[in-house]
Amino acid sequence: MARKTKTSSDRPTLVDVAREAGVSAITVSRTIRSPGIVSDKARRKVEEAIRRLGYTPDPAASALASRSTSTIGLLVPSLTNNVFSDVLRGVYEGVQGTRYFVQIGNYRYSALEEEGLIRNFLSQRPAGLIVSSMDQTPTGRRLLETAPCPVVQIMEIAEGAVDMSVGFDQLAAVRAGAQHLQECGYRRPGFLSARMDPRAQRRLAAFREFAEGAGMLDDRRIITTPQPSSVGMGGHLLEQLLSQAPDTDAVMCNNDDLAVGALMEALRRHIAVPGQLGICSYNDIEMARHMVPALTAVATPRREIGSRAIAMLLAEIDNPGSVTERRVDLGFEMMIRESTSRR
Amino acid sequence: MARKTKTSSDRPTLVDVAREAGVSAITVSRTIRSPGIVSDKARRKVEEAIRRLGYTPDPAASALASRSTSTIGLLVPSLTNNVFSDVLRGVYEGVQGTRYFVQIGNYRYSALEEEGLIRNFLSQRPAGLIVSSMDQTPTGRRLLETAPCPVVQIMEIAEGAVDMSVGFDQLAAVRAGAQHLQECGYRRPGFLSARMDPRAQRRLAAFREFAEGAGMLDDRRIITTPQPSSVGMGGHLLEQLLSQAPDTDAVMCNNDDLAVGALMEALRRHIAVPGQLGICSYNDIEMARHMVPALTAVATPRREIGSRAIAMLLAEIDNPGSVTERRVDLGFEMMIRESTSRR
DNA sequence: TTGAAAGCGCTAACAC
DNA sequence: GTGTTAGCGCTTTCAA
């Protein structure tokens, strides 16, 4: 099946460009990938030919020949969660203008699905991988450890990262929120949390530990649900909290949706915030500071995590081993606003 | 450079599987792609060999040989916008469990960037394309028209779609909101809008037209900004509206962020909603109905658009020409709540 | 139903 | 700095 003559519908190939420019195919290839090592004269001829033919490289052929792609895999547990949409934004800002592109995998808070996605991504020979947790299955973790590409774990700072990591101390962040509540004079704080993925569980544990140490722990005030977080859920959880422990005087919410929902529920019940009830939120998405009263929140560096992660990854791809700071703590910030400022 | 002996680190290939199973490579390929046309005996042997070797196909090689990939390109104007995160969710739900995967391109409300992304996606030989607007550059549009794969345009329903389309009548939706305001007895309605992309402009035009017809048009009450939409911006815009036209008695907001921001600003100024000021929102993300007072909104079928679009695309990919309903109107719904119910 | 041969369009490796 | 050669791991085509 000799198909020596090209059909007109076929797009031009490297060889076509080479012929047009009067050079060899490899020179065209080099002109595209590292213009620096090609003579000015050749480069100009090639560039001209590319323009004339409207040539675009075929990524599949390139991937096959070079055994690597320009794909960066990004694994997130949720697409609806505001937290990850901010991370996403940071990541996309960072790949803008590079030759890489991001592919998102949503594992819906399931470590098993995450493992499947890791496998799937790896089969595509990605240039790098960003994963949003430390809670892989053992197999998932092994796959990451032996991955033939750099890997960045994001969101948390913890011992035993697979390769690089960018995040902040989530437990210290919760503690800071709880402590702030204490410093404002609240003595009977509750904790509201939805979804209860491993990270949420850890944050709850940190809260309990702090509350216990401060002599403020009361399990009736810990309200959680495995269901997804939402504004409506925040209202429900507060309702439940107040029916179980009516003397509660503050709530630490495990994210902004919940805090906004709790605030609205308080409004509905004519409970004065911050007078009768203090509310501290977690993450601090834009909406939080515009509520009335404005929500005090532990602000987390979501976008920065995304942009930093991609920066590290790209540096490591371009120049393996060049990233010396392989574990980056971006910190968090207490945003003290009206919802906790008693008098 | 004869590398006849495979390095141990190399992953197994089709040929390895074929050898292991005692069949030819093409039989393995067929077993994977269309098990039906292979004999039971051969199939079993191949499946067993695949398992034993832990074989995973190389998508790059497959793409190169077959001249097509399993990538579905999804172009969105924004990643932070809640509207598109809902669409995204619908799309991802729809590809779950298929052999396709989605790649997102963010063109940041720039038709020029969109054109670049279309070009870029096309160079990857995608299985299909979903684009979020009708507002391509002429070149962008041409690229879509001649694309060698099915294309779905989403969000709007309009004449002259490139190929398939799924959405709703955005202009009728705005009109419905404005009319609702009128029916509630509001006579001096304003309009708040940010970002002002072509779609936002069209919606504003629809509002003006309706208001004019109803004898309620007053240009002082039309407040827009090219800046991105946010809750904070909603507050600013309402502030501006009230300083320019203090007798305004209602606002139609071009999306939920703005509406929430306007509501908070009203709260801050002790303006009674809905008594002194009616607020109607657009899109109706979850948060809207949990505000106090709950926001009346034009609910748009964002997730459904995503899942329907991917369903149509997959059907068309598997079976070109099989999709008969190539223009799907998913409608919208008025959610009448407290923020417009005077007495 | 199965197989052999011939590429898909690019890059690695080595020579010049 | 540039070219030649030999694949990368699949699928297509054609023949059996």
Side-chain angles (χ1 to χ4, degrees):
Chain A
M1 50 137 281
R3 184 150 72 68
K4 283 270 104 89
T5 55
K6 313 207 58 114
T7 329
S8 64
S9 81
D10 279 346
R11 41 195 249 194
T13 72
L14 210 56
V15 173
D16 297 328
V17 176
R19 192 181 309 121
E20 178 83 10
V23 297
S24 72
I26 191 69
T27 298
V28 179
S29 176
R30 289 203 263 250
T31 306
I32 292 166
R33 288 178 301 153
S34 21
I37 67 166
V38 170
S39 71
D40 278 15
K41 185 152 145 279
R43 182 156 40 68
R44 260 193 302 277
K45 282 193 296 183
V46 170
E47 279 162 356
E48 171 61 18
I50 288 177
R51 261 209 325 91
R52 219 156 35 221
L53 265 43
Y55 169 75
T56 340
D58 183 331
S62 167
L64 181 57
S66 68
R67 280 170 218 69
S68 86
T69 64
S70 302
T71 303
I72 291 183
L74 172 57
L75 290 176
V76 294
S78 161
L79 282 168
T80 25
N81 191 321
N82 287 303
V83 172
F84 290 99
S85 63
D86 286 340
V87 172
L88 253 186
R89 182 149 63 118
V91 170
Y92 270 88
E93 277 169 15
V95 285
Q96 285 290 351
T98 71
R99 64 181 208 87
Y100 298 95
F101 46 88
V102 174
Q103 205 159 297
I104 300 169
N106 174 9
Y107 59 89
R108 301 182 304 174
Y109 288 102
S110 153
L112 225 61
E113 263 195 68
E114 187 190 19
E115 180 187 318
L117 285 171
I118 293 172
R119 218 185 283 282
N120 180 56
F121 272 123
L122 251 22
S123 80
Q124 292 178 59
R125 309 179 184 277
L129 236 38
I130 301 178
V131 299
S132 305
S133 85
M134 302 282 191
D135 304 300
Q136 284 76 32
T137 63
T139 309
R141 191 183 161 89
R142 199 162 335 112
L143 286 169
L144 291 180
E145 280 164 355
T146 60
C149 66
V151 174
V152 183
Q153 280 171 298
I154 59 171
M155 304 317 283
E156 238 154 317
I157 228 48
E159 300 301 325
V162 162
D163 184 3
M164 295 176 283
S165 62
V166 190
F168 61 97
D169 186 336
Q170 302 246 0
L171 308 188
V174 169
R175 261 181 256 123
Q179 183 173 350
H180 168 71
L181 253 18
Q182 185 189 26
E183 286 165 4
C184 290
Y186 297 105
R187 287 294 171 268
R188 298 179 300 280
F191 189 84
L192 264 35
S193 183
R195 182 120 264 162
M196 298 321 287
D197 56 290
R199 189 139 59 220
Q201 311 246 27
R202 261 175 255 139
R203 292 208 296 247
L204 166 56
F207 175 83
R208 297 185 92 256
E209 199 183 343
F210 177 88
E212 179 138 47
M216 309 192 303
L217 181 60
D218 183 338
D219 276 321
R220 291 175 316 147
R221 303 194 211 282
I222 310 267
I223 311 287
T224 68
T225 171
Q227 290 182 263
S229 175
S230 67
V231 173
M233 183 55 77
H236 290 316
L237 294 181
L238 181 64
E239 189 178 358
Q240 201 181 323
L241 171 58
L242 292 179
S243 80
Q244 241 170 263
D247 62 340
T248 300
D249 66 357
V251 265
M252 176 75 210
C253 299
N254 215 346
N255 71 36
D256 300 305
D257 282 359
L258 259 27
V260 169
L263 176 61
M264 291 299 138
E265 181 66 21
L267 247 177
R268 225 171 275 127
R269 295 170 167 245
H270 306 290
I271 295 171
V273 175
Q276 289 173 263
L277 184 76
I279 299 183
C280 181
S281 186
Y282 193 87
N283 281 325
D284 196 34
I285 64 175
E286 192 251 355
M287 156 176 75
R289 76 169 145 289
H290 295 292
M291 293 293 108
V292 179
L295 287 170
T296 287
V298 185
T300 61
R302 305 173 302 285
R303 231 197 53 212
E304 292 73 14
I305 288 179
S307 53
R308 188 64 177 264
I310 194 77
M312 288 167 72
L313 202 57
L314 294 182
E316 189 68 18
I317 291 168
D318 283 351
N319 210 330
S322 65
V323 175
T324 50
E325 205 187 342
R326 301 186 83 80
R327 185 164 177 276
V328 176
D329 185 349
L330 259 20
F332 56 87
E333 195 180 348
M334 274 305 306
M335 309 303 288
I336 297 171
R337 306 204 183 94
E338 301 158 4
S339 69
T340 55
S341 69
R342 269 175 157 174
R343 128 190 36 271
Chain B
M1 50 139 280
R3 184 152 72 67
K4 282 269 101 91
T5 54
K6 312 208 56 110
T7 330
S8 63
S9 81
D10 277 348
R11 42 192 251 195
T13 70
L14 210 55
V15 172
D16 296 329
V17 175
R19 193 182 308 121
E20 178 83 10
V23 298
S24 72
I26 188 63
T27 298
V28 178
S29 175
R30 290 202 262 250
T31 306
I32 292 166
R33 288 178 302 152
S34 21
I37 66 166
V38 170
S39 70
D40 278 15
K41 183 148 146 283
R43 183 156 38 70
R44 260 193 302 276
K45 282 193 296 185
V46 170
E47 279 163 357
E48 172 60 19
I50 287 177
R51 263 207 326 89
R52 220 156 34 221
L53 264 41
Y55 169 74
T56 341
D58 183 332
S62 167
L64 180 56
S66 69
R67 281 170 219 72
S68 85
T69 65
S70 303
T71 304
I72 291 179
L74 171 58
L75 290 176
V76 294
S78 162
L79 282 168
T80 25
N81 191 320
N82 287 303
V83 172
F84 289 100
S85 63
D86 286 339
V87 172
L88 253 186
R89 182 149 63 117
V91 170
Y92 270 88
E93 277 170 14
V95 285
Q96 285 290 352
T98 70
R99 65 180 206 87
Y100 298 95
F101 45 90
V102 174
Q103 206 159 295
I104 300 169
N106 175 9
Y107 58 88
R108 301 183 303 175
Y109 288 102
S110 152
L112 225 61
E113 265 196 65
E114 187 190 19
E115 180 187 318
L117 285 170
I118 293 172
R119 219 184 284 282
N120 180 55
F121 272 121
L122 251 22
S123 81
Q124 293 179 56
R125 307 177 184 279
L129 237 37
I130 300 178
V131 299
S132 305
S133 84
M134 303 281 190
D135 304 300
Q136 284 76 32
T137 62
T139 310
R141 189 181 163 92
R142 198 161 337 111
L143 287 169
L144 292 180
E145 281 165 355
T146 59
C149 67
V151 174
V152 183
Q153 279 171 299
I154 59 172
M155 302 318 283
E156 238 155 315
I157 228 50
E159 299 302 325
V162 162
D163 184 4
M164 295 177 284
S165 62
V166 190
F168 61 98
D169 186 335
Q170 303 246 358
L171 308 188
V174 169
R175 263 181 256 124
Q179 183 173 352
H180 168 72
L181 252 21
Q182 184 188 27
E183 285 164 5
C184 290
Y186 297 106
R187 288 292 172 272
R188 297 180 299 281
F191 188 84
L192 264 35
S193 181
R195 182 122 265 160
M196 299 321 288
D197 57 289
R199 190 140 57 219
Q201 311 247 28
R202 261 175 255 140
R203 293 207 297 247
L204 166 54
F207 175 85
R208 297 185 92 256
E209 198 182 345
F210 177 89
E212 178 139 45
M216 310 192 304
L217 180 61
D218 183 338
D219 276 321
R220 292 173 315 147
R221 302 194 211 283
I222 309 268
I223 311 288
T224 68
T225 171
Q227 288 183 263
S229 174
S230 68
V231 174
M233 183 55 77
H236 289 317
L237 294 181
L238 181 64
E239 190 178 358
Q240 201 181 322
L241 171 58
L242 293 179
S243 80
Q244 245 172 260
D247 62 340
T248 300
D249 64 358
V251 264
M252 176 76 212
C253 298
N254 215 346
N255 72 36
D256 300 304
D257 283 358
L258 260 25
V260 169
L263 175 61
M264 292 299 138
E265 181 66 20
L267 248 175
R268 222 170 277 126
R269 295 171 168 244
H270 307 292
I271 295 172
V273 175
Q276 288 174 265
L277 185 75
I279 300 184
C280 180
S281 187
Y282 194 88
N283 282 325
D284 196 36
I285 64 175
E286 192 251 353
M287 156 176 75
R289 75 168 144 290
H290 297 291
M291 293 294 109
V292 179
L295 286 171
T296 288
V298 185
T300 60
R302 304 173 302 284
R303 231 197 53 215
E304 292 72 15
I305 288 178
S307 52
R308 188 64 178 268
I310 194 78
M312 287 167 73
L313 201 57
L314 294 182
E316 189 68 17
I317 290 167
D318 284 352
N319 209 329
S322 65
V323 175
T324 49
E325 206 185 343
R326 301 185 83 81
R327 185 164 177 275
V328 177
D329 185 348
L330 258 22
F332 57 86
E333 194 179 349
M334 273 306 305
M335 310 302 288
I336 296 170
R337 306 204 184 94
E338 301 157 5
S339 70
T340 54
S341 68
R342 269 175 155 172
R343 119 196 38 272

